[in-house]
Amino acid sequence: MSGVSSEPSSDRRRIAFVFPIFNEEGNIDLLHRTVDEVTRPLADRYEVSFLYVDDGSRDSSLVLLTALAERDSRVTVVELARNFGHQLAVTAGLDLVDADATIIMDSDLQDPPRVALELIEKWEEGFDVVYAQRRSRQDSAFKKLTAGGFYWFLRKMAAVDIPKNTGDFRLIDRKVVDELRRYRERDRFLRGLVSYIGFKQTAVLFDRDKRHAGVTGYPLRKMLRFAADGILGFSVTPLRLISRLGYLISALSFLGVLYVIGVKLFAPQTAVPGWAFITIAMFFLGGIQIIMLGVLGSYIGRTYSQVQNRPLYGVASVRTGLSQLVQAVGSGVDAGTGAR
């Protein structure tokens, strides 16, 4: 697949930064200035480009990105047709990028751009995936608690080893990007997919900063859905737990039957007729059944979405360098081909 970047002017290898953008008008200019300053020492060895994916922003983010592309020929702006979500915005960037190495970075400046140099150093040592692993984070106590619980639960449930305290901030080699393009599931959990794919991977520790401006694109509701994507996408353990819970309830019911028979035979005078126990048992079993149906429904719903085979995202336009405007038709890249 050929990306949207221009043809290279030298034999230098290419490094591309992919930034998903959603309502980040307060961060865009500072983000680009900072990344530009950080990557200047690489100019003699690499051609550096920047790909911004506007995920249906409702503020002036797209206007700022368009102006940025007009000033800097290294900038490509992908405008999605609507808001498809962070993971699909990153996917769109990876589908379009054309570079020897790609660095995925959030646009809120919580991922320090200076860490990108350390990622590149590890890549130069021969690693195909270099993920930034948080050593510390300046988030609320609730955020830290829920994130810790999520990664603990994910490690227990998932069939793939996903490193703790990692996000999508990472460098991935071209061959990993090419492999990742073959995976077209809709409910995407990219850090899990990258771990699942394999190749030589290593970590770089860093201290995460505070968000510079704006609000998080992952409120609690979206975080819960994202966690479900990570668990359901890489584990069938919830389905196994349903069976085990059924066996447990059956065993408890059998013990209850033995208890009732024992009371009737050996202590009939202590038996007190009533409906309280029966009512509680019915509600309990009914609740368990509803939970089981909910888990099954989650897997069935994901299967239904997948077999519809709809494009993952739609592209409204691609602006690349010095006001060149390319109107894009269609949407997500075809699985396995890389062709639009």
Side-chain angles (χ1 to χ4, degrees):
M1 166 187 168
S2 59
V4 294
S5 61
S6 58
E7 291 298 321
S9 58
S10 70
D11 293 331
R12 291 175 296 171
R13 290 200 292 176
R14 287 169 287 174
I15 296 177
F17 286 77
V18 172
F19 301 101
I21 301 290
F22 179 69
N23 295 342
E24 298 289 358
E25 61 182 3
N27 296 318
I28 290 172
D29 288 337
L30 178 59
L31 171 66
H32 189 72
R33 286 200 310 270
T34 305
V35 177
D36 183 34
E37 293 172 1
V38 166
T39 55
R40 281 177 189 171
L42 303 174
D44 60 333
R45 293 181 291 148
Y46 299 104
E47 287 190 1
V48 179
S49 61
F50 310 97
L51 195 154
Y52 293 86
V53 182
D54 181 69
D55 187 26
S57 295
R58 293 187 288 268
D59 59 4
S60 59
S61 293
L62 184 59
V63 175
L64 294 174
L65 292 174
T66 302
L68 192 61
E70 292 174 350
R71 298 193 306 267
D72 191 338
S73 61
R74 301 169 300 168
V75 171
T76 297
V77 179
V78 179
E79 178 192 1
L80 297 187
R82 61 171 175 83
N83 177 249
F84 287 90
H86 178 273
Q87 297 291 284
L88 289 180
V90 175
T91 299
L94 293 176
D95 286 342
L96 289 169
V97 76
D98 182 15
D100 297 290
T102 301
I103 297 176
I104 304 168
M105 184 183 298
D106 284 342
S107 52
D108 54 12
L109 292 169
Q110 286 189 283
D111 298 337
R114 63 183 180 276
V115 179
L117 298 181
E118 299 180 51
L119 303 182
I120 294 170
E121 287 178 4
K122 288 293 185 181
W123 176 59
E124 290 172 338
E125 293 176 10
F127 291 97
D128 301 311
V129 176
V130 187
Y131 51 86
Q133 190 168 36
R134 292 184 287 268
R135 180 169 42 210
S136 65
R137 55 192 302 169
Q138 300 186 44
D139 291 317
S140 65
F142 176 76
K143 179 74 172 180
K144 293 178 181 177
L145 180 63
T146 54
F150 165 68
Y151 280 105
W152 176 86
F153 192 67
L154 189 62
R155 290 177 70 88
K156 295 293 185 181
M157 300 282 284
V160 63
D161 184 21
I162 301 173
K164 183 181 179 181
N165 290 326
T166 58
D168 294 318
F169 184 21
R170 62 190 60 215
L171 179 150
I172 51 181
D173 187 83
R174 179 191 292 273
K175 58 179 172 284
V176 182
V177 174
D178 290 341
E179 184 69 18
L180 195 57
R181 286 170 179 162
R182 299 174 56 203
Y183 292 74
R184 307 311 292 177
E185 53 253 52
R186 299 192 56 82
D187 301 293
R188 302 179 75 78
F189 188 65
L190 285 171
R191 67 199 69 170
L193 285 175
V194 174
S195 295
Y196 178 84
I197 286 172
F199 294 95
K200 293 177 63 178
Q201 305 196 14
T202 191
V204 166
L205 297 177
F206 79 105
D207 299 303
R208 199 177 197 212
D209 295 332
K210 290 183 178 179
R211 166 178 273 273
H212 173 257
V215 297
T216 178
Y218 273 99
L220 180 60
R221 175 180 57 83
K222 286 189 176 181
M223 281 299 298
L224 291 175
R225 181 176 178 180
F226 188 56
D229 289 340
I231 294 168
L232 300 181
F234 293 91
S235 175
V236 293
T237 302
L239 295 176
R240 296 194 185 103
L241 290 178
I242 287 177
S243 298
R244 293 172 184 174
L245 185 58
Y247 294 143
L248 176 61
I249 293 176
S250 298
L252 292 176
S253 301
F254 181 71
L255 292 176
V257 170
L258 294 179
Y259 172 76
V260 171
I261 293 175
V263 169
K264 288 290 186 181
L265 292 177
F266 302 107
Q269 68 280 3
T270 63
V272 179
W275 299 98
F277 176 77
I278 296 176
T279 304
I280 293 173
M282 288 179 60
F283 277 110
F284 175 72
L285 292 175
I288 293 296
Q289 289 173 338
I290 292 173
I291 293 172
M292 292 178 176
L293 289 174
V295 174
L296 290 172
S298 296
Y299 280 97
I300 294 171
R302 292 168 63 90
T303 304
Y304 173 69
S305 297
Q306 194 66 31
V307 299
Q308 287 178 310
N309 200 29
R310 294 173 180 172
L312 297 182
Y313 55 85
V315 177
S317 66
V318 179
R319 297 165 171 85
T320 178
L322 301 179
S323 300
Q324 180 183 0
L325 179 63
V326 181
Q327 291 296 334
V329 284
S331 39
V333 178
D334 293 335
T337 65
R340 182 162 290 282

